[in-house]
Amino acid sequence: MRFETLAIHAGAEADAETGAVAPPLHMSTTFQHGPAGERRAGYEYQREANPTQDRLETCLAALEGGERALVYASGMAAMQGYLECLANGSHVLIPNDCYTGLRALFHEFLPHRGITATAVDMSDLLEVRAALRPETALIWAETPSNPLLAVADIAALAEIAKAHGARLVCDNTFATPALQQPLALGADAVMHSTTKYFGGHSDVMGGALVFAQADSVYEQAAHRRHITGSIASPFNSWLILRGARSLPARMAWHCRNAQLIAEFLSSHPAIESVNYPGLPTHPGHAIARKQMRDFGGMLSIQFTGGREAALRFASRVKVFTNATSLGGVESLIEHRASTEGANPVSPQNLIRMSVGLEHLDDLIDDLKQALL
Ligand SMILES: *Cc1c(COP(=O)(O)O)cnc(C)c1O
């Protein structure tokens, strides 16, 4: 089946008991079993598994082309869920432009277990190869990256990882499987913040790992999730499954709006650069064309006038909302450096945009008046 069809039907089969066409929401924390704990339908307790969570996992595994998926309470819980499976003393390559939470895990928590990371430019394969150490167990990629929209060649990274005996995990939050399927390109697992495009309406948190194979990391991550309780709630799973069904249609519109906004902004004199992989001038454009079906709804812009110009723009928008997060139906902008705490790494002249599903002309009019 094709992607659009899978998005609607995988995990969303009619309810066997009632015939309900919309997937039912099972809130039960516990499941009746026999006197010696015999399970009736495989379920025992919600912290391990529940039919609604299972439906979402079936859907996500199908959409990413993986064997199994695990759903978590948030994207960060999913990220941590994978990283806590690393052996003590492991070394990891992470992108120098990446989600702040990934950097925080490596600064604050993983060093206690002797796990270290080297930040590299993942679009530079020579730099990636040179940073490998004998104890490098994992390459963690994020492409396109946050907030610079850098593009890494997933197939090439998979080859490098394989040759080194390391694994490759790709944070696929920005692209979603509607645009990019890292497992088909050789990644071992994909991570998602389903809070973003899967949920799609800025009203639900969730995360997921999708594994190419039900390998030992999958088994370990599933066990750890069961014991530590980081699983997604049934209600959140239900909302994210609902979101997944319209993901392909929404992504097409996000991409169209973002592409035209990127083109509009790239000719504006106040703007020094527009970071969007759909622009032929983007350094990762050729690789993005090769590995993505379209270029996504995220972009960032950098102002010639520095931080002041960026903040002035942010204070003038009316249709775009100043808020963090992304992937919802509404357009958001954010001065990233201001939200990164004490040691911001994003350029001060940078504004990140999550382009929503409003009418393109209203978005462009808003940008025009804010840029005046
Ligand atoms: C939001 C985000 C995360 C973290 O997910 P949460 O659901 O907020 O915990 C991780 N990676 C990327 C690329 C994100 O955008």
Side-chain angles (χ1 to χ4, degrees), residues 74-77 79 99 142 146 171 173-174 191 193 195-196 205-206 326:
S74 68
M76 286 310 297
M79 192 186 280
Y99 188 72
E142 182 182 318
N146 175 58
D171 183 336
T173 300
F174 272 29
M191 182 235 122
S193 167
T195 312
K196 313 295 168 54
M205 288 216 93
L326 58 112

Side-chain angles (χ1 to χ4, degrees), residues 54-372:
D54 270 5
R55 280 178 176 267
L56 177 58
E57 289 179 353
T58 301
C59 170
L60 295 173
L63 295 187
E64 285 287 4
E67 198 173 331
R68 289 290 166 82
L70 292 170
V71 293
Y72 289 85
S74 68
M76 286 310 297
M79 192 186 280
Q80 167 65 11
Y82 194 94
L83 295 174
E84 70 187 11
C85 296
L86 289 169
N88 290 352
S90 298
H91 174 248
V92 183
L93 298 187
I94 63 170
N96 56 11
D97 186 55
C98 67
Y99 188 72
T100 35
L102 178 69
R103 215 176 281 124
L105 291 182
F106 280 98
H107 273 144
E108 297 180 41
F109 303 130
L110 295 164
H112 298 302
R113 294 183 43 222
I115 298 173
T116 55
T118 304
V120 296
D121 176 356
M122 290 264 166
S123 56
D124 182 345
L125 299 175
L126 289 176
E127 192 179 328
V128 172
R129 277 200 195 86
L132 290 169
R133 298 183 197 162
E135 65 275 20
T136 306
L138 175 67
I139 299 179
W140 184 281
E142 182 182 318
T143 180
S145 68
N146 175 58
L148 293 175
L149 283 297
V151 172
D153 186 333
I154 299 170
L157 290 176
E159 253 176 56
I160 293 173
K162 203 169 196 177
H164 194 71
R167 291 181 197 266
L168 174 68
V169 177
C170 190
D171 183 336
N172 205 25
T173 300
F174 272 29
T176 85
L179 310 182
Q180 170 175 285
Q181 291 169 307
L183 302 183
L185 299 167
D188 296 283
V190 160
M191 182 235 122
H192 278 286
S193 167
T194 51
T195 312
K196 313 295 168 54
Y197 287 106
F198 271 101
H201 297 74
S202 307
D203 56 7
V204 59
M205 288 216 93
L209 296 173
V210 186
F211 296 81
Q213 257 118 42
D215 59 10
S216 59
V217 186
Y218 165 77
E219 295 295 342
Q220 213 194 126
H223 179 62
R224 283 173 182 268
R225 186 187 66 170
H226 178 196
I227 301 305
T228 61
S230 51
I231 195 167
S233 75
F235 183 60
N236 285 10
S237 302
W238 183 79
L239 277 175
I240 293 161
L241 179 63
R242 188 184 205 267
R245 307 180 80 183
S246 60
L247 178 74
R250 284 186 286 110
M251 287 315 289
W253 202 252
H254 282 295
C255 292
R256 168 193 169 273
N257 275 357
Q259 178 77 40
L260 294 168
I261 284 176
E263 285 169 12
F264 161 72
L265 291 170
S266 57
S267 64
H268 198 283
I271 293 167
E272 181 183 279
S273 65
V274 178
N275 307 312
Y276 184 67
L279 294 175
T281 48
H282 186 283
H285 180 66
I287 291 161
R289 278 195 87 90
K290 189 181 70 166
Q291 69 187 18
M292 299 177 77
R293 226 166 287 155
D294 205 336
F295 304 103
M298 294 299 297
L299 58 98
S300 58
I301 52 178
Q302 293 179 251
F303 285 80
T304 349
R307 173 186 163 90
E308 223 167 282
L311 291 179
R312 184 167 167 272
F313 169 78
S315 70
R316 291 174 61 113
V317 288
K318 295 192 176 89
V319 180
F320 280 80
T321 301
N322 276 270
T324 196
S325 198
L326 58 112
V329 293
E330 66 287 303
S331 291
L332 301 180
I333 70 158
E334 183 181 32
H335 183 244
R336 274 307 277 176
S338 294
T339 55
E340 285 174 345
N343 303 302
V345 290
S346 292
Q348 289 289 344
N349 69 345
L350 179 139
I351 294 281
R352 188 183 78 177
M353 289 186 187
S354 171
V355 178
L357 307 182
E358 298 93 341
H359 195 288
L360 178 70
D361 296 347
D362 290 326
L363 295 177
I364 299 228
D365 286 348
D366 191 34
L367 296 174
K368 273 186 188 155
Q369 66 80 25
L371 283 164
L372 272 181

